[in-house]
């Protein structure tokens, strides 16, 4: 009985370690990479930092990822080949070519553009999905005009909402205003595996006074995180029983007595 009790306590220790290795919840993972644009307002044709962030984002997703390049103003927006759809709302429009203010597409000719105008809401756009989403990413152009000046209130925010509490994330995480020139290109992505969301909004924070400033969004991706195998309850139970069985076999070894 003593050996069995020791084995049981050892088994509880194994289960505890397994539980610590497999937490039930995790914080959202943000992917970000930014490239300055020395030829602004002309398009930046090469953006290795943003491309690297996009590659890291895609590397964490299941292969079936949907993309929207905004080449056509169809409604609702469809993310192929995944098949998810979303409705677009807010002061956002489809555009093509190069805007004199420094907006341009990343691929193809089309992109989504949005301006903050006088007497309009400060939400630049909202995408509402037909089914909850766990991962979203996009290229952003000229977000720098909303960072620091003319109002040092903070950068644009990405708001994820729909299931549970809303998540408010920085659209230019960890950046200093003096290091971001106008016309920069960046990639921003997030994986929120434990808290799916049904809408995503790009919002100017409270107190911002920006007027007639715009941003471009292109090659917007949605997907699901790649599955990471974790030990199931049945696996852990089998491991526990095996440990107890091994301990009992050792305690039942025959003893040899001398005649």
């Amino acid at each position: 009985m003593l050996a069995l009790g020791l084995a049981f306590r050892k088994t509880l220790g194994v289960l505890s370690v397994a539980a610590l290795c497999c937490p039930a919840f995790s914080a959202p993972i943000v992917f970000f990479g930014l490239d300055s644009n020395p030829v602004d307002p002309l398009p930046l044709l090469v953006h290795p930092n943003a491309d690297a962030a996009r590659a890291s984002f895609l590397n964490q997703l299941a292969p079936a990822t949907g993309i929207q390049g905004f080449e056509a103003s169809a409604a609702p927006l469809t993310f192929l080949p995944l098949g998810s759809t979303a409705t677009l709302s807010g002061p956002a429009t489809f555009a093509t070519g190069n805007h004199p203010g420094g907006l341009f597409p990343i691929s193809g000719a089309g992109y989504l553009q949005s301006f903050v105008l006088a007497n309009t809401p400060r939400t630049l756009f909202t995408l509402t999905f037909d089914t909850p989403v766990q991962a979203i990413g996009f290229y952003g152009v000229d977000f720098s005009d909303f960072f620091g000046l003319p109002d040092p209130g903070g950068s644009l925010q990405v708001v994820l909402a729909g299931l549970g509490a809303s998540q408010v994330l920085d659209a230019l995480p960890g950046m200093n205003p003096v290091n971001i020139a106008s016309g920069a290109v960046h990639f921003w992505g997030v994986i929120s595996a434990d808290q799916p969301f049904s809408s995503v909004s790009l919002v100017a924070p409270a107190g911002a006074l920006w007027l007639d400033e715009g941003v471009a969004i292109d090659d917007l991706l949605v997907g699901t995180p790649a599955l990471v195998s974790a030990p199931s309850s049945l696996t852990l139970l089998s491991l526990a029983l095996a440990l107890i069985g091994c301990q009992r076999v050792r305690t039942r070894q025959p003893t040899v007595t001398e005649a």
Side-chain angles (χ1 to χ4, degrees), residues 23-31 134 167 169 190-195:
F25 300 99
S26 59
I29 304 172
V30 174
F31 300 80
Q134 293 176 291
Q167 302 178 74
L169 304 172
V190 63
I191 296 177
S192 181
D194 294 331
Q195 190 173 335

Side-chain angles (χ1 to χ4, degrees), residues 21-248:
C21 294
C22 306
F25 300 99
S26 59
I29 304 172
V30 174
F31 300 80
F32 179 79
L34 182 141
D35 297 273
S36 298
N37 185 359
V39 298
D40 179 65
L42 298 176
L44 181 64
L45 301 180
V46 180
H47 25 77
N49 295 331
D51 293 345
R54 182 180 187 268
S56 297
F57 173 72
L58 287 173
N59 190 50
Q60 301 298 318
L61 300 183
T65 302
I67 186 170
Q68 173 58 243
F70 305 107
E71 298 300 322
S73 57
L77 297 174
T78 302
F79 297 85
L80 295 175
L82 191 61
S84 298
T85 62
T87 56
L88 174 67
S89 59
T93 58
F94 294 87
T96 58
N98 302 332
H99 189 281
L103 306 183
F104 50 85
I106 297 298
S107 65
Y111 56 95
L112 186 70
Q113 68 178 18
S114 185
F115 291 85
V116 174
L117 306 175
N119 302 318
T120 63
R122 291 194 175 96
T123 297
L124 278 76
F125 70 83
T126 296
L127 287 174
T128 304
F129 295 92
D130 59 337
T131 57
V133 175
Q134 293 176 291
I136 188 169
F138 55 82
Y139 282 102
V141 178
D142 210 21
F143 277 41
S144 51
D145 289 339
F146 290 86
F147 196 42
L149 297 175
D151 182 351
S155 71
L156 296 178
Q157 298 169 340
V158 181
V159 180
L160 312 178
L163 295 177
S166 296
Q167 302 178 74
V168 181
L169 304 172
D170 194 345
L172 295 173
M175 299 302 297
N176 188 315
V178 300
N179 296 329
I180 304 181
S182 180
V185 172
H186 76 276
F187 179 86
W188 186 96
V190 63
I191 296 177
S192 181
D194 294 331
Q195 190 173 335
F197 49 93
S198 58
S199 72
V200 56
S201 302
L202 185 64
V203 179
L209 301 177
W210 304 299
L211 299 177
D212 298 317
E213 293 288 358
V215 298
I217 299 290
D218 201 8
D219 291 354
L220 194 147
L221 300 162
V222 295
T224 57
L227 294 178
V228 178
S229 60
S232 64
S233 298
L234 181 59
T235 302
L236 294 176
L237 179 60
S238 300
L239 176 61
L241 293 176
L243 290 173
I244 293 174
C246 291
Q247 184 66 33
R248 293 182 68 180

